Amino acid sequence: MTALRAGPPTYAPPARLSWRVNVVAGVSPDGWPVYEIGPRGGRTSGHLVFLHGGAYFRELRTWHWWFVERLVRETALTVLVPIYPLAPVGTADTIVPAVTDLLRDVLRHPGRSVFVGGDSAGAGMALAVAQELARSDARALAGLVLISPWVDVSCDDPGVAARANQAPGLREAGNAYRGALSVDHPWVSPIHGDPGDLPPVLVLSGTHDILNADAHRLVDAVVLAGGDVELVEGLGLIHDYPLHPTPEGRRARARIARWLCDRLTSDVTES
């Protein structure tokens, strides 16, 4: 696990990011660094809390920052990026409540659309947080964007197990993240949570993604619960393809931006 956690020396956004968007560094109530990436000029159409992937033990990478930068410019949303503690220090029993509280703070701005989203492990966190918020708070999110979501850390689904060359490492990472919670606790594996009362959900997954089967399980569960869910599936595409600098990635990012803009309910205001 220690070797796998080797990564970039810093989680900070590239300096060039501030050429096109506003970058403000802050601290969450739990003491985490939180970066606020907003439109130039300070006028925002709403907020998105974005949780990065990395199998719970890798820090966010440069491509996450450029994904966020493009999303800000295309939607005029202000994106909050919390730098959550990595497993095994950061575990689901602390991460999910802390991000839920962060969303409650953002929801205090009346009249603004608030979204949550993420990629891979971050998408699993985002789903767990959205379910917890639906259970414990009357205020509704405007939408949930899940890119290549990892929603079951057991990796026991036959469709996931069939691509087993990656599954053992994923299980180890999932066990580190779950801490004292059971593997099927909805904060750990949100596929076991309540899909009812979720906001509209956009799921993006490539057919060559090891987690593609879990994406289908999630979509089926939301449909069965009567929810609003859309699956954008990239034929022959790999894990996290919407974050890649490819034509398919650009089309996926444009689809995400359109989906978000279609669900904005507030006028553009000063951030």
Side-chain angles (χ1 to χ4, degrees):
M1 181 66 72
T2 301
L4 288 173
R5 287 186 61 181
T10 178
Y11 47 71
R16 290 186 297 131
L17 206 74
S18 61
W19 294 358
R20 293 185 172 182
V21 292
N22 289 337
V23 179
V24 178
V27 180
S28 78
D30 291 270
W32 305 351
V34 177
Y35 287 90
E36 180 180 293
I37 313 300
R40 297 303 292 267
R43 294 176 62 79
T44 183
S45 61
H47 287 86
L48 166 69
V49 174
F50 179 79
L51 300 167
H52 73 85
Y56 303 112
F57 62 87
R58 289 193 181 103
E59 200 54 88
L60 81 174
R61 302 299 181 101
T62 301
W63 55 77
H64 290 110
W65 288 118
W66 292 120
F67 171 80
V68 167
E69 181 261 348
R70 293 182 183 101
L71 207 58
V72 169
R73 290 195 293 113
E74 292 175 11
T75 64
L77 287 167
T78 294
V79 180
L80 300 177
V81 184
I83 310 299
Y84 58 84
L86 302 175
V89 175
T91 50
D93 59 339
T94 58
I95 300 272
V96 173
V99 178
T100 304
D101 286 343
L102 175 62
L103 271 170
R104 288 194 180 102
D105 285 342
V106 178
L107 282 164
R108 289 175 183 163
H109 297 280
R112 289 191 187 175
S113 300
V114 178
F115 303 88
V116 64
D119 73 290
S120 193
M125 288 181 189
L127 176 59
V129 167
Q131 290 174 340
E132 178 62 20
L133 195 70
R135 185 194 66 80
S136 61
D137 199 303
R139 293 169 294 184
L141 294 168
L144 178 59
V145 178
L146 306 177
I147 300 169
S148 298
W150 188 15
V151 297
D152 185 355
V153 302
S154 74
C155 301
D156 284 342
D157 184 276
V160 175
R163 306 175 190 202
N165 61 320
Q166 297 178 50
L170 288 178
R171 291 192 186 100
E172 180 184 355
N175 280 329
Y177 173 66
R178 71 180 178 87
L181 298 178
S182 66
V183 71
D184 58 355
H185 192 289
W187 288 358
V188 176
S189 296
I191 193 66
H192 299 296
D194 183 2
D197 298 323
L198 284 174
V201 184
L202 177 65
V203 179
L204 299 98
S205 178
T207 59
H208 282 190
D209 185 348
I210 186 175
L211 301 177
N212 183 250
D214 276 358
H216 280 271
R217 287 173 65 197
L218 171 60
V219 169
D220 290 346
V222 177
V223 169
L224 188 61
D228 177 357
V229 61
E230 178 181 349
L231 173 63
V232 176
E233 194 166 43
L235 184 63
L237 299 181
I238 61 174
H239 187 68
D240 264 2
Y241 79 90
L243 276 66
H244 297 172
T246 62
E248 295 85 359
R250 286 191 291 274
R251 286 193 290 270
R253 290 190 294 273
R255 180 70 192 90
I256 294 169
R258 289 196 303 272
W259 189 89
L260 291 167
C261 288
D262 286 347
R263 284 154 184 81
L264 290 173
T265 58
S266 64
D267 295 330
V268 175
T269 57
E270 296 296 329
S271 62

